[in-house]
Amino acid sequence: MLDTHESVELAVVVPTFNERDNVEVLLARLDQALADVRWEVIFVDDDSPDETARLLHTLSARHPRVRCLRRIGRRGLSGACVEGMLATGAPVMAVIDADLQHDETLLPRMLQVMRAEPIDLVIGTRYAHGGSVGEWQASRLRMSQLATRLARGLLGTSLSDPMSGFFMIRREAFEASVYRLSGIGFKILVDLVASSPRPLRIRELPFRFAERHAGSSKLDSRVAWEFLMLLADKLVGRWLPVRLLSFGLVGTLGVGVHLLVLSTLLSLPGMAFVAAQASAVLLAMISNFALNNALTYRDQRLTGWRQLSGLLKFMATCGVGALANVGVAAYLNRDGTGWLLSALAGILVGTVWNYGVTSHLVWSAGRRR
Ligand code: GDD
Ligand code: MN
């Protein structure tokens, strides 16, 4: 039992999304592994449809070491971990997955390192000697290794497993980085290491990545995109918001969609240019909306019927953006600016308008349910 006068030495942060059948087992295992430690656990649940949060709240009412932070209308492993760490005053914090793939018996050894040495970060690694990824498909192994190399190269770290989701960090090291964190996607460790204002003192301990206990992985193809966005944010985020970058990329792709539709329709016999152009505009808007919903705003994406009202608001906003685009370009061109520069200025103004307005009108409404 937790003595209410004792201070907590270690906070374990567990991000959860649809982990109903894992959290009780994990809790029992933590209880066992940390028997000699003053610890607490903070589950951060993104309003899982399987009602993991309801179970966690029941557990937290029974178990004084347990807390559950329930986030509504938000998604993201990294962001969840950051908020969990912000919710505790413990001097040392650990992050561990809920699905029992990480070896919780490593936690006391990680803590021992923290107690004995001036280390900022202890990482559970799958790639160092003695570590292993267990039964992984070759394709996933290749992806993981590629991402590892990318992270090492771009961020200048020499870690054996920067993609690990299992680590322990000292509170001061976390707080020194917290304002610079991107909080994007799955790779919180890369984010922490890259955001630190000073080189961190790091220790790596090998462990064997186990099979998932119950439920299924949330890692999908979007994770690769989120990882690229994280790297982009770390590289250029100081000057350019990555969402705007993503929005711009999607827009550029939209031009391709437009031209493809237009040229296809024009090749049909008897097709009027106006009809073809109008259809191309419509399809490009739909595809831009869909891609922005899936990629740029993946963490707030609209689902079900809300996609339809989102699309209508998106189209209305982009219509005004197009007017602004043409207005600015025409104004500059009349004043003697060349056609290309005028057009680019119009596109820039239109894009920034579209981005600024849709980010509020279309997607932030997604925070409410
Ligand atoms: N709150 C919250 N929100 N939790 C999430 C979300 C989310 O959007 N997505 C995933 N989680 C939780 C899961 O419930 C699980 O506890 C943990 O984050 C890891 O998710 P998995 O879906 O099990 O990921 P994985 O096993 O494929 O990936 C793991 O291994 C990777 C290394 O290959 C994770 O540890 C990754 O961080 C790690 O990079
Ligand atoms: Mn997992």
Side-chain angles (χ1 to χ4, degrees):
M1 245 316 172
L2 184 70
D3 173 352
T4 46
H5 297 294
E6 79 181 7
S7 58
V8 172
E9 182 181 17
L10 171 69
V12 182
V13 173
V14 188
T16 58
F17 192 75
N18 286 346
E19 304 288 2
R20 215 194 133 74
D21 297 328
N22 290 322
V23 291
E24 270 176 297
V25 188
L26 177 68
L27 189 57
R29 290 209 196 166
L30 287 175
D31 234 345
Q32 197 165 23
L34 297 171
D36 303 324
V37 178
R38 289 172 278 114
W39 63 285
E40 66 175 353
V41 57
I42 300 157
F43 290 93
V44 187
D45 184 71
D46 285 352
D47 209 19
S48 304
D50 77 349
E51 302 201 314
T52 307
R54 184 197 292 270
L55 172 62
L56 287 170
H57 281 135
T58 314
L59 292 173
S60 75
R62 284 210 302 263
H63 202 312
R65 294 193 191 277
V66 180
R67 280 193 283 153
C68 170
L69 180 65
R70 177 179 170 200
R71 306 198 305 168
I72 291 182
R74 321 246 303 275
R75 273 301 302 275
L77 175 47
S78 285
C81 294
V82 172
E83 286 180 35
M85 290 193 264
L86 286 171
T88 173
V92 177
M93 300 169 290
V95 170
I96 189 169
D97 288 353
D99 55 5
L100 310 170
Q101 291 196 277
H102 294 156
D103 180 2
E104 77 290 340
T105 62
L106 201 62
L107 287 169
R109 282 177 45 214
M110 291 171 141
L111 188 61
Q112 209 48 55
V113 172
M114 288 288 197
R115 284 174 179 160
E117 296 170 59
I119 294 284
D120 299 304
L121 179 62
V122 185
I123 302 173
T125 168
R126 299 159 294 171
Y127 295 128
H129 184 69
S132 140
V133 293
E135 323 279 305
W136 260 12
Q137 283 175 338
S139 59
R140 171 142 187 204
L141 188 60
R142 267 201 306 279
M143 275 290 278
S144 176
Q145 284 167 343
L146 177 69
T148 302
R149 272 201 298 277
L150 258 181
R152 278 191 204 140
L154 281 163
L155 307 173
T157 65
S158 58
L159 301 175
S160 72
D161 191 2
M163 300 297 137
S164 176
F166 183 30
F167 60 87
M168 193 175 279
I169 189 167
R170 218 179 274 282
R171 145 157 244 105
E172 301 90 73
F174 169 71
E175 282 184 354
S177 313
V178 76
Y179 283 106
R180 302 171 182 223
L181 291 173
S182 307
I184 300 174
F186 244 57
K187 307 304 175 186
I188 175 67
L189 184 62
V190 172
D191 202 357
L192 277 169
V193 174
S195 303
S196 173
R198 59 174 172 84
L200 295 174
R201 292 159 296 191
I202 299 177
R203 175 68 49 82
E204 298 186 294
L205 296 181
F207 78 99
R208 190 174 188 286
F209 197 66
E211 284 294 299
R212 174 175 256 280
H213 180 67
S216 56
S217 170
K218 282 88 212 175
L219 192 130
D220 58 16
S221 50
R222 249 190 299 268
V223 169
W225 171 259
E226 288 177 341
F227 181 60
L228 293 179
M229 286 291 116
L230 172 63
L231 295 182
D233 190 46
K234 291 272 91 89
L235 292 172
V236 303
R238 231 173 302 165
W239 305 285
L240 190 68
V242 282
R243 274 203 219 270
L244 177 55
L245 196 71
S246 167
F247 197 85
L249 281 177
V250 168
T252 312
L253 215 68
V255 175
V257 171
H258 182 114
L259 294 179
L260 197 74
V261 174
L262 184 65
S263 59
T264 313
L265 288 178
L266 285 178
S267 69
L268 301 176
M271 174 60 75
F273 178 79
V274 180
Q277 171 76 353
S279 316
V281 167
L282 197 68
L283 277 171
M285 275 191 185
I286 294 174
S287 98
N288 279 9
F289 170 77
L291 283 173
N292 278 316
N293 195 40
L295 299 175
T296 313
Y297 292 100
R298 68 218 165 267
D299 53 340
Q300 304 166 27
R301 64 184 167 272
L302 306 175
T303 52
W305 282 104
R306 308 232 332 267
Q307 289 178 88
L308 189 64
S309 60
L311 174 65
L312 293 177
K313 285 189 225 162
F314 184 84
M315 297 208 299
T317 307
C318 292
V320 178
L323 286 180
N325 176 339
V326 173
V328 167
Y331 174 80
L332 287 176
N333 190 242
R334 215 177 22 239
D335 274 10
T337 311
W339 66 268
L340 186 60
L341 211 61
S342 304
L344 288 177
I347 290 172
L348 186 71
V349 169
T351 306
V352 171
W353 160 273
N354 289 348
Y355 170 72
V357 175
T358 57
S359 72
H360 285 92
L361 205 66
V362 180
W363 281 285
S364 72
R367 288 184 193 148
R368 277 177 263 121
R369 288 204 111 193

